[in-house]
Amino acid sequence: MILGIETSCDETAAAVLADGAKVLASVVASQDKIHAPYGGVVPELASRRHLEVIVPVIQKALGDAGVSLADLKAIAVTQGPGLVGSLLVGCSVAKSLAYVGRLPLVGVNHLEGHIFAAFLQEPSPAYPFLALVVSGGHTALYLAREPLRYEVIGQTRDDAAGEAFDKVAKLLGLGYPGGPVIELTARSGDPKAIAFPMAQITDGAPDFSFSGIKTAVSLHVKRNRPLSAGQVADIAASFQATAVKMLVRKTVRAALALGVHRIVLTGGVAANKALRGALQAEVAERGWELFIPPPALCTDNAAMIAAAGHARLLAGERASLTMNAVPDMKLA
Ligand code: KG4
Ligand code: ZN
């Protein structure tokens, strides 16, 4: 029985996991309302809010799971990457609880956590697999040939995919966070209305780039102001379709080049139905395997951190009480 703690960005989360994959409780306190007026996460406000709610969030997770601190066997906490002030809150609480409860502690890479969300459902992926991690801070393809080892196959050269959704939503005056609201708005729009450019990486690397499409949306908005609701929906739908096409195309190409036909799609943007459906269609056509966590486990949560922590603990990893947040922690 492991307690997972996640505070890397703007979600305060705690979860109780049994046997590495059974989610007994998963509590996520969102800070969306706090950051919405600013159109993005304000680090200072995020860490303060984590501080206010982390203890009640952990208490709720333990209560929902029907367990007490004495029932826990270990604590897993996100060590990085993320906002340093936010990470520090989770790490400090985790260290305190580990000290008080004399429990083993393990620091988890947030991106590995996203990948381990795929292990919280049956069937879970076998190795090797190619993981597309698409979130607000990261967009990368990782090859996992064996457990707990990752190779970066490609990554974004500028904005993360989620960041692009958030920025386009801001340009369209749709609010924050952008992903869900773009998805909703896109439903009533025409995905073929505007031909936004697909980024071309000329050196052939399986990398991503989202700054071009963001600029194209910005120019389109400026040229066509004031926008009607129909135009906003068309822009949202066309942007989403192009972003999805870029993500799917690079992933399929990388999988073909590597000869790896098992794909994991995860991270906040993987909650997007258009992306899930498009990758599903490509994978089905080729007879490959695809693993996508349910939307609530794609966006930031602590169950995925507990799952990755469980695997690391079984591999013998332990963090000392002097462990610290690593804001630029690398996965590979
Ligand atoms: O993984 P996550 O919760 O936090 C990070 O680790 O960054 O990802 C958050 C990102 C945000 O940029 C948000 O706009 C995006 O995921 N997102 C979505 C959707 N839901 C969340 N993007 C597109 N469609 C969605 N339904
Ligand atoms: Zn995340």
Side-chain angles (χ1 to χ4, degrees), residues 11 110 114 135-137 162-163 165-166 177-180 183 267-269 271-272 298-300:
E11 254 94 38
H110 181 80
H114 274 304
S135 72
E163 203 178 343
F165 273 85
D166 294 336
E183 176 168 7
V269 182
N272 185 281
C298 284
T299 47
D300 286 351

Side-chain angles (χ1 to χ4, degrees), residues 6 8-11 81 110-111 114 133-138 160-167 169 176-184 239-240 266-275 295 297-301 304:
E6 152 66 38
S8 68
C9 190
D10 63 338
E11 254 94 38
H110 181 80
L111 302 168
H114 274 304
V133 182
V134 267
S135 72
H138 299 270
E163 203 178 343
F165 273 85
D166 294 336
K167 286 177 178 172
Y176 174 86
V181 69
I182 291 271
E183 176 168 7
L184 190 70
F239 159 75
Q240 178 174 272
T266 186
V269 182
N272 185 281
K273 287 202 190 71
L275 175 58
L297 293 173
C298 284
T299 47
D300 286 351
N301 65 88
M304 68 185 197

Side-chain angles (χ1 to χ4, degrees), residues 36-88:
Y38 307 96
V41 178
V42 183
E44 270 294 306
L45 297 180
S47 38
R48 282 182 206 190
R49 187 64 185 158
H50 284 308
L51 209 50
E52 284 165 7
V53 302
I54 186 69
V55 172
V57 163
I58 291 172
Q59 282 171 330
K60 175 147 187 2
L62 294 175
D64 286 359
V67 301
S68 70
L69 202 53
D71 299 313
L72 298 175
K73 292 289 176 283
I75 297 186
V77 64
T78 304
Q79 191 172 9
L83 302 169
V84 66
S86 291
L87 289 165
L88 277 172

